[in-house]
Amino acid sequence: MTIKILPARLANQIAAGEVVERPASVVKELVENSLDSGATRIDIDIEKGGAKLIRVRDNGKGIVKDELGLALSRHATSKIHSLDDLEAIMSLGFRGEALASISSVSRLTLTSRPVTQEQAWAAHSEGRDMAVKLQPAAHPIGTSVEVLDLFFNTPARRKFLRTEKTEFAHIDELIKRIALSRFDVTINLRHNGKLVKQYRDVKTEVQAEKRIAAVCGNSFVRSMLKIELEHQGLKLHGWITTPDGARQQSDLQYCYVNGRMMRDKLINHAIRQSYENSLRPDQFATYVLYIDIDPHQVDVNVHPAKHEVRFHQARLVHDFIYQALADALAQSHHIDQPQINTSAFHHAVDAPSETLSSESMDTDKPTSFPAEPNQVVPDQVYQAIERVPHYPGRAVDPASDEDITQVREQTPRNDWVESRSVPRVKPQERHAAPTPSKQEVAAYQQLMQTPKLPPSSPREPQPSSQVDAAIESLGKAICMASGQFVMMANKAGAHVVSLPYAEWLRVLGQLQVSNEGLKSQPLLVPLGLKIDAQQSEAVKQYQDQFRQLGIEFKLRNEQSLMVMGVPQPLRQQNLQQLMPNLLSYAASFTDPEKGNLDWRILSKWLADTVTSAKSDYTLSEAIQIVAEVEMLWQEALPLHDPQFVRPIDFTATIAAFNL
């Protein structure tokens, strides 16, 4: 068969198959053109569900007379002129196919008057020949597009139109989506001459809530949470609802990327995943969310109807949305804070930044979270230390509350948070790290020998002559004992190492500060926290101590702050709970009578708090833990501490052979 170029009218009708699915598709294209023209008022008239008449009038810039005929030509547009424009599209339309495609399947009249003309002109285009006729007309500044008898010349397409009620319902839903995308525009919708919907332009927060209620219903407003986060040029803002606002269908899910309506699979998956622990399988989340991103980082030209986009850093966008929504839901106390490996986010970025500048955050607008987090008082913080008197993971024998109270009253707080003066060895420097000085070793040994409970306490083990025997090194791992202890041996003999205590030493060793301090790893999404006056004062007073540990706080006002970064040992922790507890603990030292707070005390508290011991270790896990502890502590390893290592006395066993 001979290859030929398609006639213009046939090419336009083929394009109309993609652009014009139903009357709502025509309304979408025309209203988006009005928004691109800078209109602040749009009037939409519909008859017979759009099959008889669609008229869209705006007060935008208008089209000059000489360009009216060109506007109805295929691939004619004022929105892009070069490849560079195509790679950074901010307008809603850009292909220049809409008017030509619509005019090929209807009787179209385009009337416009720019501010530079005293006379308005109308361009008529009808059906197959698509001949454009220009006539003078009466029209205010702006543009009107009138579409009559949609699909009049394509009976097969017209046959597939639904009832008038159904087609108008699609138009009504479309206008709702547009109304939520542009709060600054007044939109009036009429059907068969009757005003059905009127969305007035919004100037205040109260008016914005009224528009949201008009679109999503009052129940949405009652349970909605406001979201507003920004990080490295990626901004997410809008509203989500608590699980109380969930619905049995996905009819209240509105998402926009750079002002463009989206039904993107990646975005939907991130939102659905953030709700997975709080909704039943038959429930759907409700939300109105806006994503603002550098237009160079998103491709909008991947779907015929522009419903989907392609992000250049898809994983980054997905995890940003997921964590932002999960954090907001957690702060509203409706779900548990997810355990997110935020360190993996940085691998999703082609060139991850090492630091997070304060300019990347919107400092003018505080992060808005609807509910106050739990305010943990210092007494509750100390209860955790009391429950774990020696090291995390150690089983505590039953004891009376009076014993604990007596110990706490008689023991100064600084004795509960002893500091270690052994510098931390960075992982990349471990093999070449200098040996700690004798003074540092002595300071650590003195710390380890300081009893945390009175000797009379039944929980304090009584040392024996075998415990006092010197252990020069741990040696080689032999086997496991009772799941929490590993038997090790060297030339001098055998001994047992406590793995829960070793895990605690590992965390504490990772939190030891060198001369440069611990390196802070920026969070992908800075964590917003509500704080009280005492916590705010603690942030101001101990900012240097927090910075030494690699914890970066950004105080926004007296009631809120942002957690910008944490050291590597804390990346896997539940920061939503850990950071308020840390601030409450630090706030207890703002009183001069309580003593001074330094990074050593903070690192000890963090190690006590975040260490989580297992009930059953494998031999390979034991070998890894002991190896890391030996590498971190080197000469300062507490081989004298009976809570860490004890020699094995085989005397009784050997004597039994001689019986």
Side-chain angles (χ1 to χ4, degrees), residues 462-490:
Q462 298 300 324
S464 63
S465 59
Q466 293 294 331
V467 172
D468 294 334
I471 300 176
E472 299 297 333
S473 64
L474 295 179
K476 181 180 180 181
I478 306 299
C479 64
M480 295 298 301
S482 300
Q484 289 193 318
F485 304 91
V486 58
M487 178 181 174
M488 306 189 73
N490 54 22

Short mmCIF file of all heavy atoms in Angstrom, two decimals, residues 462-490:
data_model
loop_
_atom_site.label_atom_id
_atom_site.label_comp_id
_atom_site.label_asym_id
_atom_site.label_seq_id
_atom_site.Cartn_x
_atom_site.Cartn_y
_atom_site.Cartn_z
N GLN A 462 27.26 -10.35 93.56
CA GLN A 462 28.37 -10.31 94.49
C GLN A 462 29.62 -10.84 93.80
O GLN A 462 29.63 -11.97 93.31
CB GLN A 462 28.05 -11.17 95.72
CG GLN A 462 26.84 -10.67 96.51
CD GLN A 462 27.05 -9.25 97.03
OE1 GLN A 462 28.16 -8.89 97.40
NE2 GLN A 462 25.98 -8.47 97.04
N PRO A 463 30.70 -10.07 93.74
CA PRO A 463 31.91 -10.54 93.06
C PRO A 463 32.55 -11.68 93.83
O PRO A 463 32.50 -11.74 95.05
CB PRO A 463 32.80 -9.29 93.04
CG PRO A 463 32.31 -8.44 94.17
CD PRO A 463 30.84 -8.71 94.29
N SER A 464 33.16 -12.58 93.08
CA SER A 464 33.86 -13.71 93.67
C SER A 464 35.32 -13.64 93.29
O SER A 464 35.75 -12.79 92.51
CB SER A 464 33.27 -15.03 93.15
OG SER A 464 33.46 -15.12 91.77
N SER A 465 36.10 -14.54 93.87
CA SER A 465 37.52 -14.56 93.56
C SER A 465 37.75 -14.88 92.10
O SER A 465 38.70 -14.41 91.49
CB SER A 465 38.23 -15.60 94.45
OG SER A 465 37.66 -16.89 94.23
N GLN A 466 36.84 -15.69 91.51
CA GLN A 466 37.00 -16.02 90.10
C GLN A 466 36.73 -14.81 89.22
O GLN A 466 37.35 -14.62 88.20
CB GLN A 466 36.05 -17.16 89.71
CG GLN A 466 36.38 -18.49 90.36
CD GLN A 466 37.71 -19.02 89.86
OE1 GLN A 466 38.12 -18.74 88.75
NE2 GLN A 466 38.40 -19.79 90.71
N VAL A 467 35.78 -13.97 89.64
CA VAL A 467 35.48 -12.78 88.86
C VAL A 467 36.65 -11.82 88.89
O VAL A 467 36.92 -11.11 87.93
CB VAL A 467 34.20 -12.11 89.40
CG1 VAL A 467 33.98 -10.77 88.74
CG2 VAL A 467 33.01 -13.01 89.19
N ASP A 468 37.36 -11.79 90.02
CA ASP A 468 38.47 -10.86 90.14
C ASP A 468 39.68 -11.28 89.32
O ASP A 468 40.63 -10.51 89.17
CB ASP A 468 38.88 -10.73 91.61
CG ASP A 468 37.78 -10.08 92.43
OD1 ASP A 468 36.98 -9.33 91.83
OD2 ASP A 468 37.72 -10.33 93.64
N ALA A 469 39.68 -12.49 88.81
CA ALA A 469 40.82 -12.95 88.02
C ALA A 469 40.94 -12.10 86.77
O ALA A 469 39.96 -11.78 86.12
CB ALA A 469 40.65 -14.41 87.66
N ALA A 470 42.17 -11.73 86.43
CA ALA A 470 42.41 -10.84 85.30
C ALA A 470 42.15 -11.57 83.99
O ALA A 470 42.54 -12.73 83.82
CB ALA A 470 43.83 -10.32 85.34
N ILE A 471 41.48 -10.86 83.05
CA ILE A 471 41.25 -11.38 81.71
C ILE A 471 41.95 -10.44 80.75
O ILE A 471 41.66 -9.24 80.69
CB ILE A 471 39.73 -11.46 81.40
CG1 ILE A 471 39.03 -12.38 82.38
CG2 ILE A 471 39.51 -11.92 79.97
CD1 ILE A 471 37.52 -12.45 82.19
N GLU A 472 42.92 -10.96 80.02
CA GLU A 472 43.72 -10.12 79.14
C GLU A 472 43.03 -9.84 77.81
O GLU A 472 43.15 -8.76 77.25
CB GLU A 472 45.07 -10.80 78.89
CG GLU A 472 45.90 -11.01 80.15
CD GLU A 472 46.27 -9.70 80.82
OE1 GLU A 472 46.36 -8.66 80.12
OE2 GLU A 472 46.47 -9.71 82.06
N SER A 473 42.31 -10.84 77.30
CA SER A 473 41.62 -10.67 76.02
C SER A 473 40.47 -11.66 75.95
O SER A 473 40.41 -12.61 76.74
CB SER A 473 42.57 -10.88 74.85
OG SER A 473 43.03 -12.22 74.83
N LEU A 474 39.55 -11.42 75.02
CA LEU A 474 38.38 -12.28 74.91
C LEU A 474 38.68 -13.57 74.17
O LEU A 474 38.10 -14.62 74.46
CB LEU A 474 37.24 -11.54 74.21
CG LEU A 474 36.68 -10.33 74.97
CD1 LEU A 474 35.58 -9.66 74.16
CD2 LEU A 474 36.16 -10.73 76.35
N GLY A 475 39.52 -13.52 73.17
CA GLY A 475 39.87 -14.73 72.45
C GLY A 475 38.87 -15.09 71.37
O GLY A 475 38.27 -14.23 70.73
N LYS A 476 38.64 -16.39 71.21
CA LYS A 476 37.84 -16.91 70.12
C LYS A 476 36.50 -17.42 70.63
O LYS A 476 36.42 -18.05 71.69
CB LYS A 476 38.59 -18.05 69.42
CG LYS A 476 37.84 -18.67 68.25
CD LYS A 476 38.65 -19.78 67.62
CE LYS A 476 37.92 -20.41 66.44
NZ LYS A 476 38.70 -21.51 65.82
N ALA A 477 35.42 -17.14 69.86
CA ALA A 477 34.09 -17.61 70.25
C ALA A 477 33.99 -19.12 70.03
O ALA A 477 34.39 -19.63 68.98
CB ALA A 477 33.02 -16.89 69.44
N ILE A 478 33.44 -19.81 71.03
CA ILE A 478 33.33 -21.27 70.98
C ILE A 478 31.89 -21.71 70.72
O ILE A 478 31.60 -22.43 69.77
CB ILE A 478 33.86 -21.90 72.28
CG1 ILE A 478 35.29 -21.42 72.56
CG2 ILE A 478 33.80 -23.42 72.19
CD1 ILE A 478 36.29 -21.78 71.50
N CYS A 479 31.00 -21.28 71.57
CA CYS A 479 29.60 -21.71 71.45
C CYS A 479 28.71 -20.75 72.21
O CYS A 479 29.19 -19.90 72.97
CB CYS A 479 29.44 -23.14 71.99
SG CYS A 479 29.79 -23.28 73.76
N MET A 480 27.38 -20.89 72.00
CA MET A 480 26.39 -20.06 72.70
C MET A 480 25.95 -20.75 73.98
O MET A 480 26.00 -21.98 74.10
CB MET A 480 25.18 -19.82 71.81
CG MET A 480 25.47 -19.00 70.58
SD MET A 480 26.05 -17.34 70.96
CE MET A 480 24.66 -16.72 71.91
N ALA A 481 25.51 -19.97 74.93
CA ALA A 481 24.99 -20.49 76.19
C ALA A 481 23.75 -19.70 76.58
O ALA A 481 23.81 -18.47 76.70
CB ALA A 481 26.05 -20.40 77.30
N SER A 482 22.64 -20.39 76.71
CA SER A 482 21.36 -19.79 77.14
C SER A 482 20.88 -18.69 76.21
O SER A 482 20.08 -17.85 76.62
CB SER A 482 21.48 -19.26 78.58
OG SER A 482 21.80 -20.30 79.46
N GLY A 483 21.36 -18.62 75.00
CA GLY A 483 20.84 -17.67 74.02
C GLY A 483 21.38 -16.27 74.14
O GLY A 483 21.42 -15.53 73.15
N GLN A 484 21.82 -15.85 75.33
CA GLN A 484 22.27 -14.48 75.53
C GLN A 484 23.74 -14.38 75.93
O GLN A 484 24.23 -13.27 76.19
CB GLN A 484 21.42 -13.78 76.61
CG GLN A 484 20.00 -13.48 76.15
CD GLN A 484 19.31 -12.54 77.12
OE1 GLN A 484 19.44 -12.67 78.33
NE2 GLN A 484 18.57 -11.57 76.59
N PHE A 485 24.43 -15.48 75.98
CA PHE A 485 25.84 -15.48 76.39
C PHE A 485 26.63 -16.31 75.39
O PHE A 485 26.14 -17.29 74.84
CB PHE A 485 26.00 -16.05 77.80
CG PHE A 485 25.19 -15.33 78.84
CD1 PHE A 485 23.90 -15.75 79.15
CD2 PHE A 485 25.69 -14.21 79.48
CE1 PHE A 485 23.14 -15.08 80.10
CE2 PHE A 485 24.94 -13.53 80.42
CZ PHE A 485 23.67 -13.96 80.73
N VAL A 486 27.87 -15.88 75.16
CA VAL A 486 28.76 -16.61 74.26
C VAL A 486 30.00 -17.03 75.05
O VAL A 486 30.58 -16.25 75.80
CB VAL A 486 29.15 -15.76 73.04
CG1 VAL A 486 29.82 -14.45 73.43
CG2 VAL A 486 30.03 -16.56 72.09
N MET A 487 30.36 -18.29 74.90
CA MET A 487 31.57 -18.80 75.55
C MET A 487 32.75 -18.52 74.63
O MET A 487 32.74 -18.85 73.45
CB MET A 487 31.45 -20.30 75.80
CG MET A 487 32.69 -20.93 76.42
SD MET A 487 32.50 -22.70 76.68
CE MET A 487 34.17 -23.11 77.22
N MET A 488 33.80 -17.91 75.21
CA MET A 488 34.99 -17.57 74.46
C MET A 488 36.21 -18.09 75.22
O MET A 488 36.16 -18.31 76.43
CB MET A 488 35.10 -16.05 74.25
CG MET A 488 33.85 -15.45 73.61
SD MET A 488 34.02 -13.73 73.11
CE MET A 488 35.08 -13.88 71.69
N ALA A 489 37.32 -18.28 74.50
CA ALA A 489 38.50 -18.85 75.14
C ALA A 489 39.75 -18.31 74.49
O ALA A 489 39.77 -17.97 73.30
CB ALA A 489 38.48 -20.38 75.03
N ASN A 490 40.81 -18.19 75.29
CA ASN A 490 42.15 -17.87 74.82
C ASN A 490 43.13 -18.78 75.54
O ASN A 490 42.74 -19.73 76.23
CB ASN A 490 42.47 -16.39 75.03
CG ASN A 490 42.28 -15.96 76.49
OD1 ASN A 490 42.30 -16.81 77.41
ND2 ASN A 490 42.11 -14.67 76.70
#
